[in-house]
């Protein structure tokens, strides 16, 4: 296998290699001359290499003004005297937009700002590329020509590589004077506020920790090429040995997991990869910079690959590069608990990864793109970890160890907050703790509406650790125990006796309060490596939940066996997920009967009563709820899935999930139809979707006739308070009148309605 393409080296504007240019840049930077001279040398090296009449470097000052620092081709007097405001002229536009700008007629570009002192009147073509580091523009590299030269995409790409290197050395101290480097550092470490979306409310303060730790800091150019070459060789050897070791340690692994490690090994031993790393080192880069360089080249190529298998392998290559950088730095790999109080920052992650982190130190979560009903969000909510999303820039804007404040209620992230901001949030955190203590005091108050309707409040749980919250919140029982979460933590499926012990402990901790065990709903984003199955293009609508159990009963039968054993002598409540047709319940009941027979034959004590429930989470089941109700003892609405299928909007897609409000009158009418039919069938029905976390939605659910709701522990206190302030009949009448309005959401009007009745909404 060779991961090289036929042309391993992106060509520079004039066809000469960028490796050659990097070597010359290295020589310029290595000169023992003043910082200004070094910069001028660098500018002329670039100008010559790319054959442009003008090459200029503008750097951003701490006051956000762009100052001409060096030029070849413009009037020398303009250096340090020509400035442009942020966003002013073509240079300002490039810096502000973070994007390259190409034009062959600069003077007629609408953003052009004329600076007579530079003498640039005769220049027509313009290529400006931002110097980006940590997501910020540190300046602009500009190439200009008197003729109307057209820069090709390849040329722009090559100049971008040069600009990236320039940004790197501006921050590293290898190029600028110490004061100038300090100014760059100050710019990179300013306080920032990013606006995203609220997922789990609450305030968290802590230090940034990345799921993928960033590469350690390193120099870009080497002083001693042969030493670098030795360091590189040694790191490659160590890397290969560590991958071999990983394979040996996991010798028992089979199937897909083994294939993944084998592929990883092939990459580590790839000749082309090693050759390119060595070529980069020979051009004067440090071993670390060479690893980064080759990694970026691979990224660019593989992202264009049509073959999805190749694109997926990108992760392996990035990971390999990462290991190399750690080996080169001599730093051991840190785990997520590097600080006493940390905030985990990642582009995205699955629920299993989150569960691997230490709960005591993990205070907050910042994810680039994840939706409110994704399972990682559900786990974060269950663990009461404040979380924001929609802030992909966070990964670039902050560094490991930076102080962060997550404002989960407002959906904001503060990076390196000022002392004033920090003080405000410390106070908010204290208030939050006090408020929780107040809710705890109200835990035994009856959840009865003003017009005397009793509302049963249940709690959602997924881990045994959640069960004690039952008593702290005063919930009547666990309305949804997501058993699969326990399956996702380990490296293999828990055995029957391990499962029995888990369910037994949960029942013990519940101390007589009922627990509804939902059989494992595997699929969608809920998979662990050991259970990767099939390749559904859309796993949420694929082989999951009861469908998988019907085809491959092994897992569900083991689980039912464990549940029967754990609840020996007591009441057992079991619920099946993703029911679509009533006949699927018959199949599931068949498995249960067989397990009961088996237990009887073995002389085991059975539960004293077994109640069976079905989750209503597909429109097919909701529409025909009567048929399903006739086969079970109770129903529970899985609103997360039901809404995803009703609106045809992937619950895990950040882009579409927030588009449709559960307070859409059509959705409420659809739910009401189901509630009415379940009532006609005399089947108890509860609602356990995460939407009930939002008090406004929960109140509307009461309005359409739902009297039992199951929600995360943190939502219970505010919900009980709400229930005691509202009048269920009044809400029903209000909603009924609006079920057929053309409005797309009742949220605004209904929020007003509730606040007028004294309901406090955060
Ligand atoms: C639901 O779909 O609403 C539900 C409660 O189940 P889960 O979120 O685990 O899919
Ligand atoms: Mg569901």
């Amino acid at each position: 296998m060779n991961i090289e393409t036929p042309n391993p080296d992106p060509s520079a504007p004039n066809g000469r290699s960028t490796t050659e240019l990097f070597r010359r840049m290295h020589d310029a930077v290595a000169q023992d001359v003043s910082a200004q001279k070094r910069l001028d040398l660098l500018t002329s090296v670039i100008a010559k290499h790319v054959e442009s009449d003008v090459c200029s470097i503008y750097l951003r000052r701490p006051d956000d003004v762009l100052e001409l620092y060096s030029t070849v081709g413009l009037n020398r007097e303009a250096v340090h005297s020509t400035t442009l405001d942020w966003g002013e002229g073509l240079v300002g536009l490039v810096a502000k937009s973070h994007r390259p700008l190409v034009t062959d007629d600069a003077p007629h570009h609408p953003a052009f700002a004329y600076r007579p002192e530079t003498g640039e009147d005769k220049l027509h073509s313009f290529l400006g590329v931002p110097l980006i580091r940590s997501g910020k523009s540190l300046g602009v590299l500009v190439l200009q020509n008197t003729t109307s030269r057209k820069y090709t995409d390849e040329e722009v790409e090559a100049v971008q590589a040069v600009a990236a290197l320039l940004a790197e050395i501006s921050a590293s101290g290898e190029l600028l004077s110490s004061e100038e480097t300090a100014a760059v550092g100050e710019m990179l470490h300013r306080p920032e506020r990013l606006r995203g979306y609220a997922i789990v409310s609450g305030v968290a303060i802590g230090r940034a920790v990345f799921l993928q730790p960033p590469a350690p800091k390193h120099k870009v150019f080497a002083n001693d090429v042969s030493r670098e070459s030795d360091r590189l060789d040694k790191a490659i050897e160590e890397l290969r040995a560590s991958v071999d070791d990983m394979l040996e340690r996991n010798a028992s692994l089979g199937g897909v997991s083994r294939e993944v490690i084998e592929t990883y090994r092939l990459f580590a031993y790839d000749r082309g990869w090693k050759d390119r790393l060595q070529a980069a080192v020979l051009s004067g880069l440090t071993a670390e910079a060479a690893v980064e360089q080759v990694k970026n080249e691979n990224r660019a190529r593989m992202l264009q690959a049509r073959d999805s298998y190749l694109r997926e392998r990108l992760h392996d290559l990035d990971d390999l590069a990462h290991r190399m950088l750690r080996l080169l730095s001599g730093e051991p790999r840190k785990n997520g608990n590097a600080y006493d109080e940390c905030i985990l920052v990642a582009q995205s992650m699955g629920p299993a990864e989150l569960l691997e982190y230490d709960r005591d130190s993990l205070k907050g979560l910042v994810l680039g793109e994840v939706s409110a009903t994704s399972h990682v969000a559900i786990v974060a909510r269950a663990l009461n970890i404040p979380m924001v999303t929609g802030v992909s820039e966070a990964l670039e804007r902050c560094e490991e160890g930076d102080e962060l404040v997550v404002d989960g209620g407002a959906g904001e992230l503060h990076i390196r907050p000022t002392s004033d901001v920090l003080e405000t949030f410390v106070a908010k955190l204290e208030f939050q703790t006090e408020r929780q203590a107040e809710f705890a005091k109200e835990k035994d108050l009856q959840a009865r509406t003003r017009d005397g309707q009793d509302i049963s409040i249940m709690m959602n749980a997924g881990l045994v650790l959640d069960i004690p919250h039952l008593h702290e919140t005063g919930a009547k029982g666990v309305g949804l125990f997501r058993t699969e979460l326990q399956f996702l933590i380990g490296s293999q499926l828990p055995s029957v006796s391990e499962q029995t012990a888990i369910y037994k402990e949960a029942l013990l901790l519940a101390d007589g309060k009922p627990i509804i065990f939902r059989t494992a709903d595997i699929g969608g984003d809920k998979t662990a490596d050991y259970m990767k199955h099939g390749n559904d293009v859309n796993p949420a609508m694929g082989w999951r939940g009861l469908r998988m159990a019907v085809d491959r009963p092994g897992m569900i039968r083991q689980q039912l066996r464990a549940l029967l054993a754990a609840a020996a002598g007591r009441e057992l409540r079991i619920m099946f997920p993703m029911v679509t047709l009533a006949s699927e319940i018959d199949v599931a009941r068949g498995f249960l009967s067989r397990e009961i027979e088996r237990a009887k034959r073995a002389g085991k004590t059975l539960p004293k009563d077994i109640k069976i429930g079905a989750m209503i989470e597909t429109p097919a089941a909701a529409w025909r709820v009567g048929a399903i109700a006739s086969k079970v003892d109770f129903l529970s609405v899985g609103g997360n899935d039901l809404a995803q299928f009703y609106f045809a909007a992937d619950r895990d897609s950040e882009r579409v999930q927030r588009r449709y409000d559960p307070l859409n009158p059509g959705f409420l009418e659809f739910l009401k139809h189901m509630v009415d039919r379940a009532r006609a069938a005399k089947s108890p029905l509860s609602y356990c979707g995460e939407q009930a976390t939002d008090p406004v939605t929960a109140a509307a659910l009461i309005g359409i006739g739902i009297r039992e709701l199951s929600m995360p522990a943190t939502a219970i206190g505010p919900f009980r308070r709400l229930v005691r302030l509202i009048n269920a009949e009044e809400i029903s009448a209000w909603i009924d009148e609006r079920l057929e309005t053309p409005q797309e959401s009742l949220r605004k009007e209904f929020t007003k309605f509730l606040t007028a009745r004294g309901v406090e909404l955060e």
Side-chain angles (χ1 to χ4, degrees), residues 374-414:
S374 65
H375 288 96
V376 66
I378 288 171
V379 173
R381 207 170 283 126
L383 302 178
N384 198 13
I385 302 174
M387 168 175 169
V388 293
T389 186
V391 283
S392 302
E393 320 93 276
L395 285 159
E396 291 176 343
R397 302 285 176 95
C398 62
E399 291 176 13
E400 267 218 334
D402 274 351
E403 178 123 60
L404 300 183
V405 172
V406 174
D407 185 349
E412 288 185 350
L413 172 69
H414 297 262

Short mmCIF file of all heavy atoms in Angstrom, two decimals, residues 374-414:
data_model
loop_
_atom_site.label_atom_id
_atom_site.label_comp_id
_atom_site.label_asym_id
_atom_site.label_seq_id
_atom_site.Cartn_x
_atom_site.Cartn_y
_atom_site.Cartn_z
N SER A 374 -29.34 14.08 21.03
CA SER A 374 -28.36 13.03 20.74
C SER A 374 -28.04 12.33 22.06
O SER A 374 -28.28 12.89 23.15
CB SER A 374 -27.09 13.65 20.17
OG SER A 374 -26.51 14.44 21.17
N HIS A 375 -27.51 11.14 21.97
CA HIS A 375 -27.31 10.40 23.21
C HIS A 375 -26.20 10.95 24.08
O HIS A 375 -26.25 10.82 25.30
CB HIS A 375 -27.15 8.91 22.90
CG HIS A 375 -28.45 8.33 22.50
ND1 HIS A 375 -28.81 8.20 21.18
CD2 HIS A 375 -29.54 7.98 23.23
CE1 HIS A 375 -30.05 7.74 21.13
NE2 HIS A 375 -30.51 7.59 22.35
N VAL A 376 -25.24 11.63 23.47
CA VAL A 376 -24.21 12.23 24.32
C VAL A 376 -24.85 13.34 25.14
O VAL A 376 -24.53 13.53 26.32
CB VAL A 376 -22.98 12.69 23.48
CG1 VAL A 376 -23.31 13.82 22.55
CG2 VAL A 376 -21.84 13.08 24.39
N ALA A 377 -25.81 14.06 24.54
CA ALA A 377 -26.50 15.12 25.29
C ALA A 377 -27.35 14.51 26.40
O ALA A 377 -27.41 15.05 27.51
CB ALA A 377 -27.37 15.94 24.34
N ILE A 378 -27.97 13.40 26.10
CA ILE A 378 -28.81 12.73 27.12
C ILE A 378 -27.94 12.30 28.30
O ILE A 378 -28.29 12.49 29.46
CB ILE A 378 -29.54 11.53 26.49
CG1 ILE A 378 -30.64 12.07 25.56
CG2 ILE A 378 -30.14 10.62 27.56
CD1 ILE A 378 -31.31 11.02 24.71
N VAL A 379 -26.77 11.74 27.99
CA VAL A 379 -25.87 11.30 29.07
C VAL A 379 -25.40 12.53 29.85
O VAL A 379 -25.39 12.53 31.09
CB VAL A 379 -24.69 10.49 28.50
CG1 VAL A 379 -23.68 10.19 29.59
CG2 VAL A 379 -25.18 9.19 27.89
N ALA A 380 -25.04 13.60 29.14
CA ALA A 380 -24.57 14.81 29.84
C ALA A 380 -25.66 15.33 30.77
O ALA A 380 -25.40 15.75 31.88
CB ALA A 380 -24.17 15.87 28.83
N ARG A 381 -26.90 15.30 30.29
CA ARG A 381 -28.02 15.78 31.10
C ARG A 381 -28.21 14.87 32.32
O ARG A 381 -28.41 15.35 33.43
CB ARG A 381 -29.28 15.78 30.24
CG ARG A 381 -30.27 16.80 30.69
CD ARG A 381 -31.39 16.95 29.68
NE ARG A 381 -31.02 17.71 28.52
CZ ARG A 381 -31.14 17.28 27.26
NH1 ARG A 381 -31.62 16.09 27.01
NH2 ARG A 381 -30.78 18.05 26.27
N ALA A 382 -28.08 13.56 32.09
CA ALA A 382 -28.25 12.63 33.21
C ALA A 382 -27.16 12.87 34.25
O ALA A 382 -27.39 12.73 35.44
CB ALA A 382 -28.19 11.20 32.70
N LEU A 383 -25.98 13.22 33.78
CA LEU A 383 -24.88 13.44 34.71
C LEU A 383 -24.86 14.89 35.23
O LEU A 383 -23.99 15.27 35.98
CB LEU A 383 -23.54 13.14 34.04
CG LEU A 383 -23.35 11.74 33.46
CD1 LEU A 383 -22.00 11.63 32.79
CD2 LEU A 383 -23.47 10.69 34.54
N ASN A 384 -25.81 15.68 34.73
CA ASN A 384 -25.89 17.09 35.11
C ASN A 384 -24.61 17.86 34.78
O ASN A 384 -24.08 18.60 35.59
CB ASN A 384 -26.22 17.21 36.60
CG ASN A 384 -26.75 18.58 36.95
OD1 ASN A 384 -27.09 19.36 36.06
ND2 ASN A 384 -26.80 18.89 38.23
N ILE A 385 -24.12 17.65 33.57
CA ILE A 385 -22.92 18.36 33.12
C ILE A 385 -23.35 19.47 32.16
O ILE A 385 -23.83 19.19 31.06
CB ILE A 385 -21.95 17.40 32.38
CG1 ILE A 385 -21.56 16.26 33.30
CG2 ILE A 385 -20.73 18.15 31.88
CD1 ILE A 385 -20.73 15.19 32.61
N PRO A 386 -23.21 20.74 32.58
CA PRO A 386 -23.61 21.83 31.69
C PRO A 386 -22.93 21.70 30.32
O PRO A 386 -21.74 21.36 30.25
CB PRO A 386 -23.13 23.09 32.42
CG PRO A 386 -23.11 22.68 33.86
CD PRO A 386 -22.71 21.24 33.86
N MET A 387 -23.70 21.94 29.27
CA MET A 387 -23.15 21.67 27.94
C MET A 387 -23.64 22.68 26.91
O MET A 387 -24.81 23.05 26.90
CB MET A 387 -23.60 20.27 27.55
CG MET A 387 -23.37 19.91 26.12
SD MET A 387 -23.83 18.17 25.89
CE MET A 387 -23.80 18.08 24.11
N VAL A 388 -22.72 23.13 26.07
CA VAL A 388 -23.10 23.97 24.92
C VAL A 388 -22.60 23.31 23.65
O VAL A 388 -21.65 22.53 23.66
CB VAL A 388 -22.53 25.41 25.00
CG1 VAL A 388 -23.12 26.18 26.13
CG2 VAL A 388 -21.02 25.41 25.06
N THR A 389 -23.25 23.66 22.55
CA THR A 389 -22.80 23.13 21.26
C THR A 389 -22.86 24.25 20.22
O THR A 389 -23.23 25.38 20.54
CB THR A 389 -23.65 21.91 20.85
OG1 THR A 389 -23.09 21.34 19.69
CG2 THR A 389 -25.08 22.31 20.55
N GLY A 390 -22.49 23.90 18.98
CA GLY A 390 -22.54 24.91 17.92
C GLY A 390 -21.39 25.89 18.00
O GLY A 390 -21.49 27.01 17.52
N VAL A 391 -20.30 25.49 18.65
CA VAL A 391 -19.15 26.39 18.79
C VAL A 391 -17.89 25.67 18.29
O VAL A 391 -16.94 25.50 19.03
CB VAL A 391 -18.97 26.87 20.25
CG1 VAL A 391 -19.95 27.94 20.61
CG2 VAL A 391 -19.12 25.71 21.23
N SER A 392 -17.93 25.29 17.02
CA SER A 392 -16.79 24.56 16.44
C SER A 392 -15.49 25.34 16.58
O SER A 392 -14.41 24.76 16.71
CB SER A 392 -17.03 24.29 14.96
OG SER A 392 -18.20 23.57 14.80
N GLU A 393 -15.60 26.68 16.55
CA GLU A 393 -14.37 27.50 16.61
C GLU A 393 -13.64 27.30 17.93
O GLU A 393 -12.45 27.59 18.02
CB GLU A 393 -14.65 29.01 16.49
CG GLU A 393 -15.68 29.42 15.52
CD GLU A 393 -17.02 29.54 16.23
OE1 GLU A 393 -17.69 28.50 16.37
OE2 GLU A 393 -17.39 30.64 16.65
N ALA A 394 -14.36 26.81 18.95
CA ALA A 394 -13.73 26.66 20.26
C ALA A 394 -12.45 25.84 20.18
O ALA A 394 -11.47 26.10 20.88
CB ALA A 394 -14.70 26.01 21.23
N LEU A 395 -12.45 24.86 19.28
CA LEU A 395 -11.29 23.98 19.17
C LEU A 395 -10.05 24.74 18.74
O LEU A 395 -8.93 24.39 19.09
CB LEU A 395 -11.58 22.87 18.16
CG LEU A 395 -12.52 21.79 18.66
CD1 LEU A 395 -13.15 21.04 17.52
CD2 LEU A 395 -11.76 20.83 19.55
N GLU A 396 -10.27 25.78 17.93
CA GLU A 396 -9.12 26.56 17.47
C GLU A 396 -8.81 27.72 18.40
O GLU A 396 -7.68 28.15 18.53
CB GLU A 396 -9.42 27.14 16.09
CG GLU A 396 -9.49 26.08 15.03
CD GLU A 396 -9.90 26.66 13.70
OE1 GLU A 396 -10.43 27.78 13.67
OE2 GLU A 396 -9.68 25.97 12.70
N ARG A 397 -9.88 28.26 19.02
CA ARG A 397 -9.69 29.48 19.79
C ARG A 397 -9.09 29.26 21.16
O ARG A 397 -8.59 30.18 21.77
CB ARG A 397 -11.01 30.21 19.96
CG ARG A 397 -11.70 30.57 18.69
CD ARG A 397 -11.01 31.75 18.05
NE ARG A 397 -11.60 32.05 16.76
CZ ARG A 397 -12.54 32.97 16.58
NH1 ARG A 397 -12.97 33.65 17.59
NH2 ARG A 397 -13.03 33.18 15.39
N CYS A 398 -9.23 28.04 21.71
CA CYS A 398 -8.65 27.87 23.03
C CYS A 398 -7.56 26.81 23.02
O CYS A 398 -7.48 26.00 22.10
CB CYS A 398 -9.70 27.60 24.09
SG CYS A 398 -10.66 26.12 23.88
N GLU A 399 -6.72 26.89 24.02
CA GLU A 399 -5.64 25.91 24.15
C GLU A 399 -5.88 25.09 25.39
O GLU A 399 -6.58 25.54 26.30
CB GLU A 399 -4.31 26.65 24.27
CG GLU A 399 -3.94 27.32 22.98
CD GLU A 399 -2.65 28.14 23.09
OE1 GLU A 399 -1.93 27.98 24.09
OE2 GLU A 399 -2.41 28.92 22.17
N GLU A 400 -5.27 23.92 25.44
CA GLU A 400 -5.44 23.08 26.63
C GLU A 400 -4.97 23.85 27.85
O GLU A 400 -3.94 24.51 27.82
CB GLU A 400 -4.63 21.78 26.50
CG GLU A 400 -5.46 20.69 25.92
CD GLU A 400 -5.19 19.33 26.53
OE1 GLU A 400 -4.09 19.12 27.04
OE2 GLU A 400 -6.08 18.48 26.51
N GLY A 401 -5.78 23.79 28.89
CA GLY A 401 -5.39 24.47 30.12
C GLY A 401 -5.97 25.86 30.25
O GLY A 401 -5.94 26.46 31.31
N ASP A 402 -6.53 26.43 29.17
CA ASP A 402 -7.16 27.76 29.24
C ASP A 402 -8.36 27.70 30.19
O ASP A 402 -9.05 26.69 30.25
CB ASP A 402 -7.70 28.17 27.86
CG ASP A 402 -6.64 28.83 27.01
OD1 ASP A 402 -5.55 29.11 27.54
OD2 ASP A 402 -6.90 29.05 25.81
N GLU A 403 -8.58 28.81 30.87
CA GLU A 403 -9.76 28.86 31.74
C GLU A 403 -11.02 29.02 30.86
O GLU A 403 -11.03 29.84 29.94
CB GLU A 403 -9.63 30.07 32.66
CG GLU A 403 -10.82 30.25 33.56
CD GLU A 403 -10.42 30.25 35.03
OE1 GLU A 403 -9.64 31.12 35.39
OE2 GLU A 403 -10.88 29.36 35.77
N LEU A 404 -12.06 28.27 31.16
CA LEU A 404 -13.30 28.35 30.38
C LEU A 404 -14.49 28.47 31.31
O LEU A 404 -14.47 27.94 32.42
CB LEU A 404 -13.51 27.09 29.53
CG LEU A 404 -12.49 26.69 28.49
CD1 LEU A 404 -12.98 25.44 27.76
CD2 LEU A 404 -12.26 27.80 27.48
N VAL A 405 -15.52 29.17 30.83
CA VAL A 405 -16.79 29.18 31.54
C VAL A 405 -17.85 28.71 30.56
O VAL A 405 -17.98 29.26 29.47
CB VAL A 405 -17.15 30.59 32.04
CG1 VAL A 405 -18.57 30.60 32.60
CG2 VAL A 405 -16.17 31.06 33.10
N VAL A 406 -18.58 27.67 30.92
CA VAL A 406 -19.69 27.20 30.09
C VAL A 406 -20.96 27.73 30.70
O VAL A 406 -21.24 27.49 31.88
CB VAL A 406 -19.75 25.65 30.08
CG1 VAL A 406 -20.98 25.16 29.34
CG2 VAL A 406 -18.50 25.08 29.44
N ASP A 407 -21.71 28.50 29.91
CA ASP A 407 -23.00 28.97 30.39
C ASP A 407 -24.05 28.15 29.64
O ASP A 407 -24.50 28.52 28.55
CB ASP A 407 -23.13 30.48 30.10
CG ASP A 407 -24.43 31.03 30.69
OD1 ASP A 407 -25.28 30.23 31.12
OD2 ASP A 407 -24.57 32.26 30.72
N GLY A 408 -24.39 27.02 30.21
CA GLY A 408 -25.28 26.06 29.55
C GLY A 408 -26.68 26.61 29.30
O GLY A 408 -27.33 26.21 28.34
N GLY A 409 -27.12 27.53 30.14
CA GLY A 409 -28.47 28.09 29.96
C GLY A 409 -28.52 29.02 28.77
O GLY A 409 -29.46 28.99 27.97
N ALA A 410 -27.48 29.85 28.63
CA ALA A 410 -27.46 30.84 27.53
C ALA A 410 -26.84 30.25 26.27
O ALA A 410 -26.92 30.85 25.21
CB ALA A 410 -26.68 32.07 27.98
N GLY A 411 -26.22 29.09 26.39
CA GLY A 411 -25.56 28.49 25.22
C GLY A 411 -24.30 29.25 24.84
O GLY A 411 -24.00 29.43 23.67
N GLU A 412 -23.56 29.74 25.85
CA GLU A 412 -22.36 30.52 25.54
C GLU A 412 -21.12 29.92 26.19
O GLU A 412 -21.21 29.25 27.22
CB GLU A 412 -22.54 31.95 26.07
CG GLU A 412 -23.53 32.71 25.24
CD GLU A 412 -23.64 34.17 25.64
OE1 GLU A 412 -23.09 34.56 26.70
OE2 GLU A 412 -24.29 34.90 24.91
N LEU A 413 -20.01 30.22 25.53
CA LEU A 413 -18.73 29.76 26.07
C LEU A 413 -17.82 30.97 26.23
O LEU A 413 -17.66 31.75 25.29
CB LEU A 413 -18.09 28.76 25.10
CG LEU A 413 -16.67 28.34 25.44
CD1 LEU A 413 -16.64 27.48 26.71
CD2 LEU A 413 -16.03 27.57 24.30
N HIS A 414 -17.25 31.14 27.41
CA HIS A 414 -16.29 32.23 27.63
C HIS A 414 -14.91 31.62 27.71
O HIS A 414 -14.66 30.72 28.51
CB HIS A 414 -16.60 32.96 28.93
CG HIS A 414 -17.94 33.63 28.91
ND1 HIS A 414 -18.10 34.96 28.64
CD2 HIS A 414 -19.19 33.13 29.08
CE1 HIS A 414 -19.39 35.25 28.66
NE2 HIS A 414 -20.07 34.15 28.92
#
